[in-house]
Amino acid sequence: MELTGAEITVRCLQEEGVEYVFGYPGGAVLFIYDELFKQEQVKHILVRHEQAAVHAADGYARSTDKVGVALVTSGPGLTNAVTGIATAYMDSIPLVVISGQVPTGFIGEDAFQEVDAVGITRPCVKHNFLVKDAKDIALTLKKAFYLARTGRPGPVLVDIPKDVSNQKAAYEYPASVSIRSYNPATRGDPALIKQTVQLLLAARHPVVYSGGGVVLSDAAKQLTELVRLLDFPVTSTLMGLGGYPSPDKNFLGMLGMHGTLEANMAMQHCDVLLAIGARFDDRVIGNVAHFAEVPRKIIHIDIDPASISKRVKVDVPLVGDVRHVLDDMLVLLRASKQKPDAAALGDWWRQIDEWRARKSLTYRNSTEVIKPQYVIEQLYEVTHGDAFITSDVGQHQMWAAQYYKFNQPRRWINSGGLGTMGFGLPAAMGVQLAHPGAAVACITGEGSIQMNIQELSTCKQFHLPLKIVLLNNGYLGMVRQWQEFFHGNRYSESYMDALPDFVRLAEAYGHVGVRIDKPADVAAGLREAFARKDELVFLDIHTDPTENVFPMVPGGKGLSEIIMAEDL
């Protein structure tokens, strides 16, 4: 059976069970768009900017464990998408991004809307392809989906020239694919797993350090059983929140630059550290030399061997899928007659409780001005901790991570590695489409929301009843905080003058806009917003412009060099 390249592309998406394609049309992809028009199985979501297309596909992927798909045209369509691709790459999110390209005969001639898509995206994709013949499209797309979802997940770009999408070729979608140079490990080394179990059972001051890999590998159940079986303390990175239930007594909270005192101190002073699907990045452990001052045995489980001993030398390098490795560890732990030293573990918990007693997340609430932390606490109460929460990047992101107690994986959707402002709203669109009946809230700031605010139009077209919680402090809050702490209160370009009337702006897009200025109105405003189940509600909540995020480990400092609100 001969089909055009465009027909083959759409057939491949159908074969992969793709539900939504997020995209924006242009000349180089019109043949593909024409084929999308002729069928109903794959639904297209028309965004208002290509960056938003990739972020929406990203949000869809993070909340479902499916591969997100975006479709953009050549030239500026592709370059607009790069930020979204890099965001997914940094956080290991499985995406397939299909880009149009100028006809093959024009490649390299600076043709209209030509860019080197493969060259531009090479540093921020797991892999990319330029398809030069329609007969190669099916195998290429099969490889793309396979690469995106297996091993350490990530975005894969498939660049299809316009003439290739109109060229005819025989169609057959491969049942499976094998790539000789790509064979990611899934099972851990049994000898190393046995060594890990021995170290854990001998530990006196252990800590389990969980990251985004726990969520991506769907290993929350295994992590929870491991922690409760051993009665060990567990902490989480920003990306790992929800991998272990936050309200649980063994959870120390998030660690790192804005982590809790107890999480950071336990991480710094433990004698055995079990790192699961995390990468010891700079925002988590701070200064590497300072971290290394305390001797400890480090076990690191990760699907990506390149991530192990990349920043911190480890003692037990366990390469494999987190879920499978934890399953194998649990078999040994359940069968073992040895138990952790109860007395030593009791002393360790007493030390942790002393750190906990300092209540590092305490803040001074007010009846006069709205504290952003209070808004997040009320959001948690109103949603019963059961909402999908997306965020942009800045102070509001940290407050959401600190004060919303995530009880399940894949409910916390944010840009961790790249720190992309403008991520929250389009990501929430992808989440809402994936979970039509769920409560979805986007926590944002007045700087971030304006970066992709045009997607309010997309929300109107596709009837997406998001709840936008804008913590409006009039500043680029995290920039202002750093300028206050480290730049002598010189607020260079961090104050946002001439802000729009967000209520009227939301109404102009056909949504409900609400302004909240008083603390007494916060809870009722949130309840009313979530009661409007079929409408997008934009809550413009004016918060204290002077509030800072605490605790804080300054850049370049160690985990124990933490600044508390009470220290200032």
Side-chain angles (χ1 to χ4, degrees):
M1 179 171 55
E2 282 205 337
L3 302 174
T4 67
E7 289 174 310
I8 291 171
T9 300
V10 174
R11 287 285 188 95
C12 293
L13 297 179
Q14 293 171 340
E15 292 276 4
E16 287 290 338
V18 172
E19 187 178 13
Y20 292 107
V21 170
F22 301 88
Y24 201 96
V29 285
L30 284 186
F31 289 118
I32 299 174
Y33 269 89
D34 197 36
E35 294 307 320
L36 284 170
F37 182 82
K38 296 174 185 176
Q39 56 84 60
E40 295 182 351
Q41 183 176 336
V42 179
K43 304 174 187 69
H44 183 272
I45 304 299
L46 177 65
V47 297
R48 275 37 175 186
H49 191 284
E50 291 88 353
Q51 179 183 343
V54 185
H55 288 331
D58 184 319
Y60 177 90
R62 291 184 200 235
S63 66
T64 62
D65 193 26
K66 297 178 182 178
V67 177
V69 180
L71 174 61
V72 300
T73 194
S74 63
L78 181 279
T79 56
N80 283 345
V82 168
T83 298
I85 294 170
T87 299
Y89 178 72
M90 290 289 282
D91 290 345
S92 305
I93 307 304
L95 299 183
V96 171
V97 179
I98 301 171
S99 59
Q101 184 56 275
V102 301
T104 52
F106 293 172
I107 293 175
E109 295 187 358
D110 295 331
F112 176 67
Q113 291 195 330
E114 179 193 2
V115 297
D116 178 4
V118 169
I120 286 173
T121 60
R122 184 173 286 119
C124 60
V125 293
K126 187 173 180 182
H127 196 66
N128 56 22
F129 300 91
L130 171 61
V131 184
K132 295 184 178 179
D133 195 306
K135 67 179 175 58
D136 298 326
I137 290 176
L139 180 58
T140 300
L141 283 170
K142 185 69 176 181
K143 288 179 178 179
F145 278 91
Y146 173 66
L147 288 167
R149 67 163 66 95
T150 58
R152 180 178 179 174
V156 179
L157 176 81
V158 180
D159 199 35
I160 304 178
K162 184 172 184 179
D163 60 321
V164 173
S165 68
N166 195 39
Q167 181 187 64
K168 285 201 168 184
Y171 170 69
E172 181 181 356
Y173 198 62
S176 61
V177 67
S178 176
I179 302 173
R180 185 175 61 183
S181 60
Y182 177 72
N183 295 289
T186 55
R187 313 299 304 206
D189 183 318
L192 293 178
I193 291 174
K194 184 177 180 180
Q195 184 182 353
T196 294
V197 169
Q198 291 170 342
L199 282 171
L200 293 177
L201 292 173
R204 299 175 62 83
H205 302 147
V207 165
V208 177
Y209 155 45
S210 65
V214 171
V215 175
L216 292 171
S217 67
D218 294 317
K221 178 183 175 184
Q222 287 81 356
L223 172 65
T224 302
E225 183 179 349
L226 175 81
V227 169
R228 290 177 176 169
L229 184 65
L230 296 171
D231 194 27
F232 281 4
V234 57
T235 182
S236 170
T237 67
L238 179 73
M239 297 303 302
L241 291 172
Y244 188 87
S246 296
D248 191 84
K249 66 180 180 61
N250 287 59
F251 187 63
L252 306 184
M254 182 177 70
L255 82 161
M257 178 170 280
H258 293 295
T260 65
L261 175 69
E262 54 268 30
N264 284 345
M265 295 298 282
M267 185 79 168
Q268 182 66 20
H269 296 290
C270 64
D271 67 343
V272 174
L273 174 61
L274 175 61
I276 309 175
R279 57 191 181 90
F280 293 92
D281 68 278
D282 58 301
R283 291 296 172 106
V284 166
I285 64 165
N287 185 288
V288 174
H290 181 277
F291 184 71
E293 287 176 1
V294 179
R296 59 177 76 75
K297 292 291 184 181
I298 300 177
I299 306 143
H300 190 178
I301 308 170
D302 205 288
I303 190 74
D304 180 10
S307 293
I308 297 179
S309 289
K310 185 175 183 179
R311 299 195 74 238
V312 172
K313 183 172 175 55
V314 307
D315 299 282
V316 184
L318 252 172
V319 179
D321 183 282
V322 164
R323 181 159 48 91
H324 294 318
V325 173
L326 290 181
D327 276 334
D328 292 342
M329 285 173 54
L330 285 165
V331 169
L332 295 181
L333 284 167
R334 293 188 204 107
S336 176
K337 295 180 181 179
Q338 183 183 351
K339 302 298 177 187
D341 185 326
L345 195 57
D347 288 341
W348 181 228
W349 272 114
R350 280 186 284 277
Q351 173 62 77
I352 289 172
D353 287 340
E354 285 183 24
W355 292 321
R356 258 184 179 159
R358 292 187 60 184
K359 296 183 178 179
S360 59
L361 294 183
T362 299
Y363 66 96
R364 291 191 182 94
N365 208 353
S366 169
T367 58
E368 303 298 322
V369 62
I370 299 173
K371 295 292 183 176
Q373 303 95 321
Y374 175 72
V375 177
I376 305 301
E377 288 178 332
Q378 292 304 303
L379 177 63
Y380 176 76
E381 293 296 327
V382 167
T383 61
H384 309 291
D386 198 37
F388 288 86
I389 305 293
T390 74
S391 85
D392 276 298
V393 172
Q395 288 180 316
H396 59 271
Q397 176 190 29
M398 294 299 104
W399 284 316
Q402 290 174 330
Y403 293 94
Y404 198 97
K405 299 180 181 67
F406 293 96
N407 200 35
Q408 301 175 60
R410 299 190 182 278
R411 295 301 181 99
W412 170 232
I413 313 294
N414 77 117
S415 170
L418 196 65
T420 306
M421 295 173 69
F423 174 85
L425 174 55
M429 299 187 322
V431 174
Q432 189 75 82
L433 285 160
H435 307 275
V440 181
C442 169
I443 299 173
T444 186
E446 72 289 336
S448 287
I449 192 63
Q450 292 187 86
M451 290 196 171
N452 270 316
I453 202 164
Q454 75 284 338
E455 297 310 313
L456 289 174
S457 177
T458 306
C459 294
K460 183 64 178 177
Q461 178 178 346
F462 294 97
H463 311 290
L464 304 179
L466 309 177
K467 312 308 174 209
I468 298 174
V469 180
L470 170 59
L471 303 183
N472 187 344
N473 61 11
Y475 282 92
L476 299 176
M478 193 59 83
V479 175
R480 181 203 57 74
Q481 179 168 334
W482 280 60
Q483 288 171 335
E484 178 181 329
F485 286 6
F486 311 118
H487 297 276
N489 296 311
R490 295 181 294 278
Y491 302 127
S492 176
E493 305 304 323
S494 57
Y495 176 68
M496 298 209 75
D497 206 352
L499 286 171
D501 183 330
F502 287 107
V503 170
R504 293 172 65 186
L505 186 57
E507 291 171 348
Y509 278 106
H511 303 300
V512 177
V514 179
R515 176 170 172 147
I516 299 176
D517 295 290
K518 298 176 182 177
D521 296 334
V522 169
L526 287 167
R527 282 195 297 270
E528 172 65 19
F530 282 93
R532 293 177 174 263
K533 295 187 181 299
D534 299 323
E535 296 176 284
L536 185 150
V537 182
F538 193 120
L539 296 167
D540 180 16
I541 304 177
H542 287 247
T543 62
D544 185 349
T546 68
E547 194 70 13
N548 290 320
V549 182
F550 291 106
M552 181 179 183
V553 177
K557 297 294 185 179
L559 286 178
S560 60
E561 299 175 291
I562 188 170
I563 300 174
M564 307 265 282
E566 64 195 46
D567 297 330
L568 298 179

